[in-house]
Amino acid sequence: FQAGAFLIAACIGLLSILWPFVKLVLLAFAWRAPPKVFSLQARDKLLRFLDEYGKWSLIDTWLGILALACYRLGWQSKSSDAKFFVDPQPKLPFFTFVGASVLGLILGHLASGYHRHAMETEEAKHMDSAVVAPRSLCFYAPWRIGLLLVLGLPFLAGLIISGAFSHTFKMVESGALATLLLEVPERVRWYGLVDLGLQMTTGKSADVGLRAVQFIFFFFALAIPICLQLAFLILWLWPMSYGSQLMMIDVCRALDAWAAFDVFGAAVTVAWLEFGIFSTFLMHYNNLQQGCSLVGEYLHTECFHMECYLTPGYALLISAAVLSYASPRFIFKVCAAALEERLKEGSNNNADTQGSSSDEDSEEDTSSHLTCEDARTCALAAQVPSQWLPGLLQHPLTKLVAKPPQ
């Protein structure tokens, strides 16, 4: 905030400091509040909101990873052992915050899981055969929507991979230190999601904490978003029972709550807007303050400045980030409508089955009644003299049964 990087200050202050505590308070309230105070429907909406937006507390971690990789300045003399390095070093609070953010996501997911278990009804436990039989959800939606999902989900997975491996932004270094220590090609460095993750541990392979953060970064920002698209495809196309489809939707909701590719896209956008301001602040209000002040006073130039610029690959990154944020909401609505249609079909089939069973029962009763009447007629005919048979056969069966001859 003191540097004038108000967007970074807002992201850190609101999303990484205030929001985690608000989330824990709301989570504790949803966990302890009885249904009389907080209805099941309201609790369901609250827990889904916490699942969808809890991951945004990771934006501070992603900005920290960007700073670890980008704010490095190194020079090694070719003729001697002289060298100069500016290398940010993460401390214990950084690793503690990353662990706390992940633990908060786990707690939210556990609370949502127990809530969904509490919402189960006897109807869902004892389903008729039409609902238990394996069917694909795509049979219960308009074909245009089905085609959109079948083609769109693989496309989005490919877009996420392309955005992750593309160079989406570059850091341009300038100032007296960059001019003195770096060659012209070395003053521009290109980055993407994969580049940042790999460079995080460059020269620090023995650092267990950084290795753990690197794993979390790749797991949340790349692996889970791709797995989410695959899980949606399986849910949509694979024949499953109604109960299995409900479980698969829960899996997709958990993956969506942990998929942080969209958070990384937002972090890159913030870096583009304000990393230059922040780098100037670091140079003038750090252990290089005295030296940079002298450079500015006598050379009338910046000691060191770093600016973030977007590259054409950013279009892939931000498109994948926006779609990875918006598409799950649309897909969950489509799947909910398809599940509702499947329940209606199961109810209609059950009603038709009961109606046909009633018709069969009435036919059996009529058939048994006629069979009984035929038996009485045969028994009566056996008792009548043979000369009466031609006359008796002319009478209707009802009269024959009602008034047997003496």
Side-chain angles (χ1 to χ4, degrees):
F1 186 84
Q2 293 178 352
F6 301 116
L7 188 56
I8 294 179
C11 289
I12 295 175
L14 297 178
L15 297 179
S16 297
I17 297 178
L18 181 62
W19 170 236
F21 290 103
V22 172
K23 177 186 174 181
L24 290 177
V25 171
L26 294 176
L27 194 60
F29 174 75
W31 182 261
R32 296 296 301 173
K36 294 181 180 180
V37 177
F38 199 53
S39 67
L40 295 180
Q41 290 75 16
R43 186 172 69 188
D44 183 71
K45 292 181 180 180
L46 175 60
L47 290 176
R48 288 191 180 185
F49 174 80
L50 295 179
D51 274 348
E52 290 178 4
Y53 296 99
K55 62 185 177 183
W56 285 92
S57 60
L58 289 171
I59 193 169
D60 182 41
T61 303
W62 286 187
L63 288 171
I65 291 173
L66 284 167
L68 288 175
C70 298
Y71 286 147
R72 285 181 178 176
L73 176 64
W75 172 78
Q76 177 71 50
S77 175
K78 298 179 181 179
S79 58
S80 65
D81 294 335
K83 57 184 179 180
F84 176 83
F85 285 100
V86 176
D87 190 10
Q89 296 292 328
K91 299 299 182 181
L92 181 61
F94 175 76
F95 301 115
T96 304
F97 179 79
V98 174
S101 300
V102 175
L103 181 59
L105 292 176
I106 294 174
L107 291 176
H109 176 60
L110 289 176
S112 298
Y114 278 105
H115 165 73
R116 286 189 289 268
H117 178 73
M119 292 286 286
E120 289 181 356
T121 61
E122 292 298 324
E123 182 181 358
K125 296 178 182 178
H126 305 284
M127 301 171 187
D128 54 63
S129 59
V131 180
V132 174
R135 291 293 301 274
S136 300
L137 276 184
C138 60
F139 290 111
Y140 301 96
W143 68 270
R144 291 182 178 85
I145 293 180
L147 183 62
L148 176 64
L149 294 184
V150 170
L151 297 180
L153 288 171
F155 172 78
L156 180 54
L159 192 63
I160 290 173
I161 295 173
S162 300
F165 281 89
S166 299
H167 289 152
T168 54
F169 66 99
K170 61 182 179 180
M171 303 299 294
V172 179
E173 300 168 357
S174 59
L177 286 177
T179 304
L180 292 173
L181 302 179
L182 301 176
E183 300 292 338
V184 175
E186 296 175 343
R187 299 175 193 172
V188 180
R189 291 180 290 173
W190 303 74
Y191 293 99
L193 188 151
V194 175
D195 299 321
L196 284 172
L198 294 177
Q199 292 188 24
M200 193 189 314
T201 56
T202 300
K204 305 173 184 177
S205 57
D207 194 324
V208 179
L210 275 180
R211 285 290 184 186
V213 173
Q214 184 185 52
F215 171 79
I216 291 172
F217 176 68
F218 279 128
F219 186 66
F220 280 79
L222 185 57
I224 293 182
I226 296 174
C227 291
L228 176 60
Q229 315 313 315
L230 178 61
F232 275 137
L233 264 181
I234 294 174
L235 171 63
W236 189 249
L237 296 177
W238 196 268
M240 288 182 282
S241 65
Y242 182 83
S244 299
Q245 286 168 343
L246 288 179
M247 292 179 59
M248 196 64 190
I249 285 182
D250 290 343
V251 171
C252 292
R253 289 194 181 279
L255 291 174
D256 179 50
W258 289 37
F261 188 86
D262 48 357
V263 180
F264 177 76
V268 172
T269 305
V270 171
W272 165 57
L273 293 172
E274 295 192 342
F275 257 28
I277 300 173
F278 195 57
S279 69
T280 302
F281 174 79
L282 291 178
M283 289 295 106
H284 288 278
Y285 297 92
N286 210 321
N287 50 5
L288 298 176
Q289 177 182 1
Q290 185 175 2
C292 287
S293 299
L294 292 174
V295 170
E297 181 179 353
Y298 291 101
L299 299 180
H300 306 289
T301 185
E302 281 286 343
C303 175
F304 179 77
H305 182 73
M306 181 178 291
E307 193 71 40
C308 177
Y309 295 95
L310 300 179
T311 65
Y314 175 79
L316 291 174
L317 174 72
I318 200 64
S319 299
V322 172
L323 288 175
S324 67
Y325 170 79
S327 61
R329 282 105 187 121
F330 170 74
I331 296 173
F332 284 131
K333 290 181 180 179
V334 170
C335 291
L339 286 172
E340 186 176 354
E341 287 296 323
R342 182 170 189 182
L343 277 181
K344 290 180 180 178
E345 182 187 70
S347 300
N348 294 335
N349 291 340
N350 190 25
D352 295 340
T353 303
Q354 291 178 355
S356 60
S357 299
S358 301
D359 294 340
E360 290 176 0
D361 293 340
S362 61
E363 289 176 2
E364 290 177 359
D365 294 340
T366 305
S367 176
S368 61
H369 176 70
L370 292 176
T371 303
C372 181
E373 296 292 347
D374 293 341
R376 292 176 59 187
T377 303
C378 295
L380 181 60
Q383 299 176 2
V384 177
S386 58
Q387 62 269 20
W388 291 4
L389 288 177
L392 291 174
L393 293 176
Q394 297 176 2
H395 291 275
L397 179 60
T398 53
K399 293 182 180 180
L400 178 64
V401 174
K403 295 181 179 181
Q406 298 298 326

